[in-house]
Amino acid sequence: MKVIELNRDEYLVSVKKIADFKSLSFSKNALEWWDNYYSWEKFPPLCLVNDKGKHVCYLFYTISKDNEYLTIHNLLTPNTHRSFGYAYKLLKHLFAHLADNKIRRFKMNCVSSSLDFYNKLGLEYWGINDLSQYYCDFKMPLLDISEIPQIVKDSRLSEISDERIMQIYEKLKNNGTEVEEKMLDKFEELKEKLEGKYHFNLLQERVDEIEPPKD
């Protein structure tokens, strides 16, 4: 197996081979997102190529100018290539590849259908935004993705500046109440799966310390 970078044309050629509609739609959204907001030259997506030469997983990421954050934007494994651990392998490559970059933290918004995968990685979540995505924000591993469970266990919201906390809260403050009704039902359904991993109450407490509620 190997990991390659794709330019825009190479990505288009690659994802046209995706058979299932949901994965194809997701890949189209990632394309449009990169066209509108990011740089194909500065942050080309990564692609995992299996031993048969097939493109089996894609990952879009950026690094902030100040090197404070690695942001995972999109991680896609088409249906026909799932259950082989490809997404884990690609994430593992990314974190190992960036180990010497002195990036301080990583963050991502996780869609509900991917929570089983991210839960296995050891991630936990500070809240849900109005797009029904679960937000996480933790210290960057020093060497490897396998450090994530311990990083999460040791994490404290006090690690994050007051200004950054308020920025995060602004995106999560509705705590799922403004999502579409069908997604609200999904949010309620997932509460059991997220037991002990969903910490909006701690975020709210931190916000109240920064800006105490008015009487």
Side-chain angles (χ1 to χ4, degrees):
M1 286 200 166
K2 63 179 179 179
V3 175
I4 61 174
E5 294 179 344
L6 299 177
N7 62 35
R8 189 181 189 277
D9 290 341
E10 290 167 338
Y11 177 76
L12 273 173
V13 170
S14 179
V15 299
K16 281 181 180 178
K17 301 174 184 177
I18 295 176
D20 67 285
F21 176 78
K22 189 174 182 180
S23 296
L24 187 61
S25 177
F26 190 93
S27 71
K28 181 177 180 291
N29 290 338
L31 172 75
E32 293 174 350
W33 188 254
W34 235 240
D35 281 348
N36 292 332
Y37 300 106
Y38 297 103
S39 168
W40 289 88
E41 290 75 27
K42 188 174 182 180
F43 295 109
L46 301 181
C47 176
L48 183 67
V49 184
N50 70 10
D51 296 334
K52 297 180 180 179
K54 293 185 179 295
H55 292 185
V56 296
C57 191
Y58 307 87
L59 193 161
F60 286 77
Y61 74 97
T62 57
I63 301 170
S64 60
K65 290 181 180 179
D66 57 6
N67 245 32
E68 182 177 4
Y69 275 98
L70 160 68
T71 303
I72 309 295
H73 293 275
N74 293 291
L75 179 61
L76 167 65
T77 306
N79 277 352
T80 54
H81 301 306
R82 290 180 184 172
S83 302
F84 296 98
Y86 293 145
Y88 182 87
K89 287 182 174 68
L90 193 50
L91 268 181
K92 183 180 176 70
H93 168 88
L94 177 66
F95 278 89
H97 179 69
L98 297 177
D100 294 331
N101 287 37
K102 297 182 179 178
I103 300 167
R104 292 185 283 279
R105 302 186 68 84
F106 73 94
K107 62 179 178 176
M108 65 178 76
N109 289 299
C110 310
V111 297
S112 59
S113 59
S114 299
L115 285 178
D116 284 340
F117 171 72
Y118 290 118
N119 288 349
K120 289 177 182 177
L121 282 181
L123 292 177
E124 298 182 4
Y125 315 91
W126 299 118
I128 181 174
N129 65 23
D130 293 343
L131 297 175
S132 305
Q133 299 166 332
Y134 293 78
Y135 180 80
C136 57
D137 185 323
F138 295 102
K139 286 182 177 178
M140 190 75 173
L142 296 177
L143 297 174
D144 189 81
I145 197 172
S146 62
E147 299 167 35
I148 287 178
Q150 190 62 46
I151 288 172
V152 171
K153 182 179 179 180
D154 295 340
S155 69
R156 300 291 183 272
L157 280 171
S158 57
E159 300 167 356
I160 306 174
S161 70
D162 290 357
E163 179 183 9
R164 180 64 188 155
I165 285 288
M166 298 308 295
Q167 291 171 351
I168 293 170
Y169 181 71
E170 185 63 28
K171 296 177 181 179
L172 306 178
K173 63 184 179 181
N174 292 323
N175 195 30
T177 59
E178 298 298 317
V179 302
E180 296 179 15
E181 186 174 349
K182 62 180 180 179
M183 295 308 299
L184 184 59
D185 292 341
K186 185 70 173 178
F187 178 51
E188 292 296 321
E189 177 186 324
L190 287 169
K191 281 186 176 179
E192 184 175 345
K193 182 177 293 187
L194 290 170
E195 187 174 358
K197 296 179 179 292
Y198 188 78
H199 305 297
F200 181 79
N201 60 323
L202 295 179
L203 177 63
Q204 183 70 67
E205 289 172 8
R206 175 73 196 282
V207 168
D208 291 344
E209 290 174 0
I210 298 169
E211 292 186 358
K214 296 178 180 179
D215 295 335

